[in-house]
Amino acid sequence: MLKLLGGFIAGVLFVAIIAMNMAGGMMIREVPSPFGLEETAARIQANIQKLKHKGWKLSGLREPSKAVAAAGSNVPPVLLVEACSTTYSKPLLKEDASRILSIMMPCTITVYKKQDGKVYIGLMNAGLMGKMFGPKVSEIMAKVQEDQNTFVDFDPSKPPPPLNRKRPGGGAGGGPDTGGC
Amino acid sequence: MKTSKSVIAALLSTSLFLAGLAGAAEQPATTAETDKTVVAKSKRETSTADHSKYEELQKQFKQGQEVTEACIDCHTEAAKQIHKTKHWTWEYTNPKTGQKLGKKNVINNFCTATKTNMTFCAACHIGYGFEDDSFDFASEKNVDCLACHDTTGTYKKYPGLSGHPAYEPYEWPAKSGKFKPAVDLQKVAQNVGKTSRRTCGACHFFGGGGNAVKHGDLDKSLENPSRYLDIHMDKDGLDFTCSTCHSDGKHDVAGSRYHTQASDNKGPLLRGQKDDRNPATCQACHGDTPHEEDERLNTHARKLACQTCHIPEYARSPQLTKMSWDWSTAGKMGEDGKPMKIKASSGMIAYDTKKGDFTYDRYVIPEYKWFNGEVLYTLFGDKVNPDEVVKINDFRGEPNDPGARIWPFKIFRGKQPIDAEKRSLAVFHTAGDDDTAFWQNFDWDKALTTGMKAMGTEYSGKLSFVSTEMSWPITHMVAPKEDALSCAQCHNKNGRMQGIDGIYMPGTDNTPLLDKLFYIIALLALVGVVIHGAIRLINDRKEAE
């Protein structure tokens, strides 16, 4: 009996260690980009705008590396492409139980340079994360995941689109363009 | 649900952190203008001369030369000193190679050559009226004092005026319908002062025809830089101007890319001390063993230039630097049959009918190579192999050369015309009002015929394009010390010094024999442990039985 219990605990520990090591990689994924920093972000923005019929709109473009520079130091550039779809946000924001998931809005895709000089794209694994919050959220997030995949599916034959640095209207004051969410 | 909340909490804290960062980035630099005014005012107050009170400067000057005449009335030696500098002659003979360099002689892979384009290029000559070989280099009044000593920020020299400022409203860019105001020479003359990052930068930040185009470590952001961009020029810190390092007295400017000093193994140089040393090296201030707390870093300085670690990336301002220029695609018209410009995602021009294709980048990791102080240029008339990449300038060096160090470089890549029959880099007439200028009619043959004739030879009529590389040693945009390269950025299988000969890099390099020996010893140890354990187990069981 003792051996059985010991084996079970060892198994649980083993699985926990493996899960802890793999969790980060499973929750977020990184893919190299064949384009430069600005062009990658611009192509993602263009792909997002192609999904207007699914409610997707650009919410903003941030560059947190600028804040580090303002504080006197250097980090390679990072561009955060933000987008939101009311098609997916509406059902989540409607229910009190899932309203807290607004923490994950807007959907952010990060484009950054690493020390090897190459450009990478970072995405949240929305499908997997959604599974932690019940069937309804899981269903919505699976669709977000599907759309996210098209955001980073580039057509190199197309000319590079301009990077949209504009901040959309909306927010507390509201406005004609609500920036998706 | 507990797990869910903890995940949400983690996401919340991360988002708040990122939001904080992003929010901080959006804070406007509201005090910048005020600071600028205060600095200008305090500098003025430290001067012992108020030029606005000088009788000679009360005139309504019509031309720049009139101002110079007033200047050299008191500063009797200034123009004579200027006459001896590269800034004036645009010529420099490399004492090691004997090559005649300088802007008059070098062909680069940006706008290529100055010869037939002098009215444009002379916007960056410190003289008035340099438009061809007839320019009087012996004239003192032709020296432009204001280009370097203006403190008003209103003195500007536009291309097309042969080194003069605009004496009447001037349309620039050409045919744009936008007019630049005429200069107020009296106001500028009455407000002269020391050189500044802005006056030097008026040319050096715009090398290659635009902001940040040429150097990669020099751009307009250095007019008013923050700490992260350059620890020495930080406007709120040391606030160095260019002349803090590059001043050599007598209007000469220390430091040159035509003859870059690869190493300096002497201690710090006392300012004012009479010495032939170049005061613009890092060691001239910091000495050659500057790392007080880590002798190992000092030993690195025997192989590495200071810049290699302390400028980990160049073009770190938001401004992108140009990385390549392909002249071979120039001349393509838009669908409407007119010259066109195509923008990249970044907003920079990616294609211009006048110039061809460009690429840009920022936060660029330099390319590294040994450099011993010897630079060899490919000059006009030198034979080139059209099937190979031509090095416009070759910064030479081998690991065992005395004084050689591993330096960081921006390598600017291009494609430019050659005379295929002469197998020489070609000079073409780019800008101007005449019908042979490439930017007027996009006719390579006409532009090359005029350009080559000006160089004293005939164009064979056979045009080809060759791939070229031009090296720019990186030496500005020195990062704060906490941002210098970390050990792992080099001592790594994918580290930065890959491909550099002559050094053994722990973490990057390996000795196969030593590696095999290690694996054999490790394997034998493992086998020994297993055998030992097995014997113990067997013995224990036997004893128990």
Side-chain angles (χ1 to χ4, degrees):
Chain A
M1 185 62 192
L2 202 62
K3 276 184 183 172
L4 191 69
L5 195 62
F8 178 73
I9 291 169
V12 168
L13 279 172
F14 179 73
V15 170
I17 290 166
I18 296 290
M20 276 174 70
N21 278 309
M22 291 179 65
M26 289 166 75
M27 292 295 175
I28 46 176
R29 63 197 171 105
E30 181 181 72
V31 285
S33 168
F35 305 106
L37 189 85
E38 280 81 6
E39 188 171 340
T40 304
R43 283 182 184 273
I44 291 169
Q45 285 182 332
N47 286 345
I48 289 168
Q49 284 169 316
K50 278 184 201 162
L51 295 187
K52 267 183 188 167
H53 60 282
K54 289 189 174 182
W56 284 105
K57 278 189 176 180
L58 296 176
S59 301
L61 181 79
R62 292 176 193 269
E63 190 167 353
S65 43
K66 275 189 182 172
V68 179
S73 284
N74 291 275
V75 288
V78 178
L79 291 173
L80 303 178
V81 180
E82 296 173 338
C84 208
S85 164
T86 46
T87 308
Y88 304 126
S89 63
K90 187 180 154 189
L92 295 177
L93 296 174
K94 205 170 183 179
E95 303 286 335
D96 276 352
S98 58
R99 199 181 295 249
I100 194 168
L101 293 171
S102 56
I103 197 75
M104 290 193 277
M105 299 172 194
C107 169
T108 303
I109 297 170
T110 177
V111 182
Y112 49 93
K113 250 189 175 184
K114 283 170 73 164
Q115 294 294 348
D116 58 6
K118 292 176 186 161
V119 174
Y120 294 84
I121 304 163
L123 301 135
M124 270 207 291
N125 194 340
L128 186 65
M129 290 184 87
K131 283 181 182 165
M132 294 191 292
F133 302 101
K136 183 183 164 188
V137 176
S138 176
E139 189 187 339
I140 292 168
M141 296 296 260
K143 287 176 185 166
V144 171
Q145 170 81 57
E146 198 179 305
D147 291 352
Q148 266 190 348
N149 291 341
T150 65
F151 296 164
V152 294
D153 184 13
F154 304 126
D155 180 356
S157 67
K158 293 271 163 61
L163 184 63
N164 188 342
R165 293 181 188 274
K166 285 179 194 162
R167 295 197 148 275
D177 183 348
T178 53
C181 288
Chain B
M1 196 60 194
K2 249 183 181 177
T3 316
S4 308
K5 278 186 176 168
S6 64
V7 170
I8 290 165
L11 287 170
L12 177 62
S13 61
T14 310
S15 303
L16 283 174
F17 172 68
L18 290 175
L21 288 179
E26 286 149 20
Q27 284 176 6
T30 48
T31 56
E33 282 305 311
T34 323
D35 287 350
K36 213 173 169 181
T37 317
V38 171
V39 170
K41 198 179 164 194
S42 67
K43 278 182 180 167
R44 180 85 177 269
E45 282 169 356
T46 59
S47 174
T48 55
D50 183 350
H51 285 76
S52 68
K53 293 177 180 169
Y54 286 12
E55 198 183 324
E56 291 85 346
L57 302 179
Q58 305 305 319
K59 290 186 242 175
Q60 284 299 325
F61 299 102
K62 287 181 184 152
Q63 287 229 315
Q65 283 103 328
E66 292 174 25
V67 180
T68 305
E69 283 175 324
C71 297
I72 58 180
D73 252 3
C74 296
H75 301 277
T76 57
E77 303 309 300
K80 294 182 186 77
Q81 291 172 358
I82 287 288
H83 281 178
K84 293 175 185 164
T85 67
K86 290 186 291 291
H87 277 120
W88 174 257
T89 61
W90 276 18
E91 276 196 323
Y92 175 76
T93 303
N94 187 316
K96 278 188 183 171
T97 63
Q99 283 192 311
K100 225 174 189 185
L101 307 173
K103 287 196 183 299
K104 268 207 265 184
N105 302 302
V106 162
I107 298 176
N108 64 30
N109 56 357
F110 296 84
C111 296
T112 67
T114 59
K115 191 72 177 178
T116 62
N117 308 303
M118 211 55 95
T119 55
F120 279 68
C121 302
C124 275
H125 182 243
I126 50 166
Y128 297 114
F130 189 9
E131 56 186 32
D132 53 33
D133 291 340
S134 67
F135 179 69
D136 184 2
F137 281 97
S139 164
E140 290 195 18
K141 70 175 183 182
N142 277 353
V143 170
D144 180 354
C145 308
L146 304 178
C148 303
H149 293 287
D150 167 45
T151 64
T152 67
T154 62
Y155 186 81
K156 297 189 191 302
K157 309 218 295 183
Y158 299 104
L161 295 174
S162 305
H164 285 279
Y167 300 126
E168 51 194 46
Y170 180 67
E171 188 181 20
W172 185 256
K175 298 174 186 171
S176 65
K178 293 174 187 167
F179 283 81
K180 302 293 180 184
V183 65
D184 181 346
L185 287 172
Q186 187 191 56
K187 181 184 165 192
V188 177
Q190 289 183 358
N191 286 281
V192 289
K194 287 181 179 176
T195 59
S196 62
R197 293 191 294 264
R198 186 185 51 72
T199 54
C200 300
C203 283
H204 293 280
F205 296 160
F206 293 85
N211 185 20
V213 168
K214 192 184 270 182
H215 297 279
D217 61 344
L218 289 174
D219 69 42
K220 200 172 184 301
S221 59
L222 287 172
E223 266 185 32
N224 217 17
S226 298
R227 181 178 182 273
Y228 84 97
L229 191 58
D230 192 295
I231 193 72
H232 298 115
M233 292 193 254
D234 173 16
K235 65 183 188 308
D236 302 316
L238 294 170
D239 201 19
F240 279 20
T241 64
C242 307
S243 62
T244 309
C245 296
H246 290 279
S247 174
D248 209 0
K250 295 186 178 176
H251 278 99
D252 206 359
V253 175
S256 167
R257 283 185 169 80
Y258 292 127
H259 189 188
T260 305
Q261 189 171 342
S263 63
D264 182 354
N265 58 5
K266 294 178 182 161
L269 174 67
L270 187 65
R271 298 286 146 172
Q273 181 186 336
K274 283 196 175 177
D275 201 307
D276 288 339
R277 285 177 63 193
N278 172 6
T281 66
C282 304
Q283 292 87 345
C285 285
H286 295 282
D288 65 338
T289 52
H291 308 98
E292 289 173 5
E293 290 165 11
D294 195 337
E295 184 51 32
R296 178 145 316 260
L297 289 179
N298 286 333
T299 63
H300 278 68
R302 291 177 207 149
K303 296 287 180 193
L304 301 171
C306 306
Q307 291 87 338
T308 296
C309 295
H310 290 278
I311 313 176
E313 291 88 15
Y314 61 87
R316 296 202 310 275
S317 76
Q319 182 65 42
L320 283 82
T321 188
K322 197 170 276 186
M323 297 302 291
S324 70
W325 184 332
D326 183 354
W327 276 101
S328 72
T329 59
K332 284 190 287 193
M333 297 295 165
E335 286 174 3
D336 57 359
K338 291 180 180 168
M340 62 173 171
K341 286 181 183 174
I342 299 171
K343 283 189 175 180
S345 298
S346 58
M348 306 296 287
I349 303 293
Y351 179 78
D352 184 342
T353 300
K354 283 181 167 183
K355 300 172 183 175
D357 280 295
F358 303 126
T359 60
Y360 304 83
D361 204 356
R362 64 176 165 131
Y363 226 96
V364 190
I365 293 173
E367 294 178 44
Y368 300 95
K369 55 184 174 181
W370 285 101
F371 173 49
N372 63 11
E374 190 183 322
V375 190
L376 201 69
Y377 276 73
T378 302
L379 296 172
F380 183 73
D382 291 346
K383 293 285 177 211
V384 299
N385 183 347
D387 300 324
E388 288 180 0
V389 176
V390 175
K391 288 183 177 175
I392 296 287
N393 58 355
D394 187 9
F395 279 71
R396 301 182 149 196
E398 297 293 331
N400 295 321
D401 290 347
R405 298 285 185 277
I406 298 166
W407 269 74
F409 289 90
K410 170 186 176 179
I411 310 291
F412 188 79
R413 295 184 166 87
K415 260 191 177 179
Q416 64 195 95
I418 58 165
D419 186 319
E421 197 170 287
K422 293 179 191 291
R423 292 164 77 96
S424 160
L425 290 176
V427 168
F428 57 99
H429 181 36
T430 318
D433 294 329
D434 61 291
D435 106 302
T436 69
F438 185 74
W439 290 350
Q440 289 290 338
N441 54 29
F442 308 105
D443 184 329
W444 278 116
D445 284 341
K446 282 185 180 179
L448 283 159
T449 303
T450 303
M452 297 293 268
K453 195 175 175 187
M455 297 300 286
T457 186
E458 294 291 318
Y459 168 53
S460 72
K462 289 181 182 165
L463 166 67
S464 183
F465 289 89
V466 69
S467 296
T468 53
E469 285 183 358
M470 191 166 190
S471 298
W472 296 89
I474 296 299
T475 193
H476 304 100
M477 294 190 178
V478 178
K481 67 177 179 182
E482 66 270 19
D483 291 341
L485 282 186
S486 62
C487 306
Q489 282 175 280
C490 293
H491 294 281
N492 185 311
K493 277 286 174 209
N494 301 310
R496 292 198 182 192
M497 295 297 139
Q498 287 177 86
I500 300 285
D501 297 330
I503 44 171
Y504 181 79
M505 288 280 294
T508 305
D509 299 322
N510 61 348
T511 309
L513 188 68
L514 207 62
D515 288 351
K516 274 180 192 163
L517 199 64
F518 166 79
Y519 286 124
I520 290 168
I521 292 169
L523 189 67
L524 288 175
L526 186 65
V527 170
V529 167
V530 171
I531 292 172
H532 177 81
I535 292 169
R536 291 280 300 265
L537 203 65
I538 291 164
N539 282 344
D540 284 354
R541 283 194 178 170
K542 274 184 182 171
E543 279 175 18
E545 280 167 10

